[in-house]
Amino acid sequence: MNILEEIVVRKRTEVAGAKRNTPVSELEASPFFKREIISLKYAIQQRHSPAIIAEFKRRSPSKGEINSRVKPAQIAKDYQNAGATAMSVLTDTVSFGGATHDLIMARQQVSIPLLRKDFMIDPYQIIEAKAIGADAILLIAACLSPNQLKELAQTAQQHGLDVLMEVHSQAELESHLNKYVSIVGVNNRNLKTFDVSIDTSLKLAELIPDEFVKISESGLKSAKEIVALHKVGYQGFLIGETFMKSENPGKSCQSFLQSIDQLLNPKATL
């Protein structure tokens, strides 16, 4: 059993416990449940320049602790003020040190779209995502069968949430892509070795149909990488560790966006 399989087994137990503690009726009574969703897909499409989805995470399985001192409410405000198009919030506790409360705190502070990033395996988690203020959810192809992913994506769409489907290979893209997905994200990290290469995104760029918004995820560290990937069709870029490992993630995000702008508009900086 690999790490991802172990996580899915644990997640099933967690979801079963959540269902016992917080029934769906209670989730649907949340003040966030009836709010107007802010479309992540639309927010990305409206930008002519690269759209940054800035991520909040305290740690990861591959890097360990990244930044345990920062607070989600403050980081959310800082990311929005820096110019991030959207924010991703890790809500998995064991692997990433996150919590649903982190997304709630972010939602109370910002008006940009929020992506709930977790290991989504059950329709309950989609209702929960809406109840805590998410606008979009992540579905990882490697965690789900094609039918499971399609059913979850359809449920998300029925609740007004955008679906970001994450793939790591051409095989996953071809087997799992369906009409209920809004956004396709290519993860540059090999889940078996944890090695990272943007070649993964470069290889899959032309294989993603144009009707889907394309984003690149993981291991993005430089403005040059963003510009190169933007040229081959990627519109959004999910960046977490590059920002979170700094003392001030919001300032790091702002500087990163300025570097991208300088590369795209060199004459404007003279």
Side-chain angles (χ1 to χ4, degrees):
M1 188 179 294
N2 62 36
I3 293 175
L4 195 58
E5 291 170 337
E6 291 175 357
I7 289 173
V8 170
V9 170
R10 167 175 57 77
K11 190 59 64 173
R12 289 196 187 103
T13 302
E14 289 180 11
V15 172
K19 288 179 179 179
R20 290 192 296 269
N21 294 330
T22 310
V24 168
S25 59
E26 188 172 330
L27 293 176
E28 292 175 339
S30 162
F32 290 134
F33 199 79
K34 296 189 185 308
R35 58 179 277 272
E36 184 176 350
I37 297 297
I38 309 164
S39 173
L40 174 61
K41 178 181 180 181
Y42 182 77
I44 295 172
Q45 287 176 322
Q46 291 310 293
R47 292 188 63 91
H48 296 294
S49 57
I52 299 300
I53 304 171
E55 188 161 85
F56 177 87
K57 64 178 177 181
R58 296 182 177 87
R59 65 172 182 262
S60 75
S62 60
K63 297 294 183 180
E65 184 174 304
I66 298 171
N67 193 334
S68 61
R69 301 178 300 279
V70 291
K71 304 298 182 183
Q74 184 61 53
I75 296 302
K77 288 192 290 186
D78 290 346
Y79 276 158
Q80 178 169 272
N81 292 337
T85 299
M87 180 177 176
S88 168
V89 181
L90 266 299
T91 58
D92 179 78
T93 302
V94 176
S95 298
F96 291 92
T100 55
H101 188 68
D102 291 338
L103 200 146
I104 292 172
M105 293 296 98
R107 176 78 285 155
Q108 292 174 342
Q109 299 297 325
V110 298
S111 57
I112 56 177
L114 295 182
L115 168 70
R116 181 189 184 181
K117 196 173 180 186
D118 208 317
F119 301 94
M120 309 291 279
I121 58 169
D122 191 287
Y124 177 89
Q125 294 169 286
I126 294 170
I127 298 171
E128 184 181 52
K130 189 172 183 180
I132 62 176
D135 302 290
I137 62 161
L138 175 75
L139 295 179
I140 304 173
C143 289
L144 303 161
S145 71
N147 284 338
Q148 287 173 326
L149 192 143
K150 184 176 181 180
E151 289 172 2
L152 290 173
Q154 184 176 15
T155 299
Q157 189 185 85
Q158 289 170 347
H159 284 88
L161 302 176
D162 282 335
V163 174
L164 165 56
M165 183 184 82
E166 178 179 293
V167 299
H168 302 81
S169 67
Q170 179 178 348
E172 288 179 354
L173 178 64
E174 293 175 346
S175 61
H176 286 70
L177 192 58
N178 64 77
K179 65 181 181 180
Y180 302 109
V181 169
S182 312
I183 306 160
V184 176
V186 178
N187 193 327
N188 298 306
R189 189 183 305 281
N190 184 312
L191 292 182
K192 295 180 180 179
T193 65
F194 288 117
D195 291 338
V196 176
S197 173
I198 67 165
D199 286 345
T200 305
S201 286
L202 292 171
K203 290 175 182 177
L204 294 182
E206 293 185 355
L207 302 178
I208 303 171
D210 290 337
E211 61 261 34
F212 298 96
V213 169
K214 306 176 188 181
I215 74 168
S216 181
E217 313 169 29
S218 294
L220 301 172
K221 299 178 180 179
S222 73
K224 287 184 178 180
E225 289 175 329
I226 301 302
V227 172
L229 289 168
H230 190 247
K231 287 181 179 178
V232 298
Y234 287 94
Q235 298 156 278
F237 303 88
L238 197 152
I239 302 175
E241 182 190 338
T242 297
F243 301 151
M244 290 299 298
K245 68 183 181 181
S246 67
E247 283 291 324
N248 188 327
K251 187 174 181 180
S252 178
C253 178
Q254 183 178 40
S255 297
F256 197 86
L257 281 162
Q258 289 173 344
S259 296
I260 293 171
D261 187 57
Q262 288 170 1
L263 286 177
L264 292 173
N265 304 287
K267 293 182 179 179
T269 62
L270 295 178

